[in-house]
Amino acid sequence: MQLPEILQRERAGGTGFFRIERLHLKFSNGVQRVYERLLAGRREAVIVVALNDEDNILLIREYAAGVHENALTLPKGTVDDGETLEQAAARELAEETGFSARRLEVIKKLTIAPSHMGYTINVVFARDLFELRLEGDEPEPPEVVPWPRQRVGDLLEGEAFHEARAIAAVILCRKQLNLEGL
């Protein structure tokens, strides 16, 4: 399948955080359409599935402005300039949970609503945790919620854990979590 030809690009709006672009496209069959999309920032992002020595996945509860609730999710954040994905995951974990990891494995890059956004996030599995508290950029520290690995099914089926990125990350780490039947 051939990509459509971009006839014109124009800024359609935005804020300090979001940029909206309008694409005038011509498809291979001659049909022309205008699409709008949120452009990705220049930085990558990570979401971390961390398993501690007590066989718990470290979840956090933090404010989510998009749905105006304190959401149960996984630690995540942007990759700073000069950081690898693993370094960013270790830092975000320390900022949001008070633990970092000696062993980190990049699992997969995910797109987020690719029909409308250019954003991606990288799933990272972390183990061999140790205490390390770094100051984060959140207005208040997230609540750390250890979740038993054996109860992942309850987590995925429960109403409190509903962020698609976090659900996908846990499912993608099923091998690392020894949850092959998931």
Side-chain angles (χ1 to χ4, degrees):
M1 182 173 208
Q2 185 178 339
L3 287 173
E5 177 186 356
I6 298 173
L7 302 173
Q8 180 183 353
R9 291 177 188 214
E10 59 187 334
R11 184 181 171 111
T15 66
F17 190 72
F18 296 105
R19 294 181 316 162
I20 302 169
E21 181 180 61
R22 190 172 291 124
L23 293 175
H24 297 261
L25 302 171
K26 182 178 180 181
F27 289 82
S28 60
N29 62 0
V31 173
Q32 293 188 23
R33 293 275 165 84
V34 178
Y35 279 58
E36 289 184 351
R37 66 180 181 176
L38 285 174
L39 290 175
R42 60 181 177 84
R43 293 186 178 172
E44 292 197 72
V46 292
I47 187 165
V48 186
V49 178
L51 186 65
N52 68 14
D53 291 341
E54 289 78 40
D55 213 23
N56 293 315
I57 298 169
L58 296 185
L59 305 175
I60 59 169
R61 190 178 319 277
E62 67 177 350
Y63 179 68
V67 291
H68 188 59
E69 70 177 40
N70 291 317
L72 185 62
T73 187
L74 293 168
K76 65 186 143 318
T78 58
V79 178
D80 288 342
D81 290 334
E83 278 186 321
T84 65
L85 296 175
E86 294 88 349
Q87 290 168 334
R91 177 185 48 74
E92 287 293 340
L93 192 59
E95 289 175 0
E96 297 185 4
T97 69
F99 290 89
S100 192
R102 290 183 186 89
R103 296 172 51 200
L104 296 128
E105 177 184 356
V106 177
I107 304 298
K108 185 172 187 166
K109 180 181 283 196
L110 302 174
T111 58
I112 303 163
S115 294
H116 304 286
M117 294 187 243
Y119 294 97
T120 60
I121 197 162
N122 297 275
V123 176
V124 179
F125 183 72
R127 66 182 126 209
D128 196 6
L129 305 185
F130 60 94
E131 286 189 43
L132 176 64
R133 166 87 41 208
L134 296 176
E135 187 172 331
D137 57 0
E138 293 79 14
E140 55 187 16
E143 173 191 356
V144 179
V145 180
W147 191 274
R149 180 189 59 81
Q150 298 83 358
R151 291 190 45 231
V152 165
D154 295 337
L155 177 68
L156 295 174
E157 293 170 12
E159 290 190 26
F161 190 72
H162 54 75
E163 182 187 359
R165 299 177 299 176
I167 292 168
V170 170
I171 291 170
L172 286 168
C173 290
R174 65 191 176 279
K175 177 181 168 190
Q176 291 77 7
L177 293 167
N178 294 319
L179 302 169
E180 296 294 335
L182 187 62

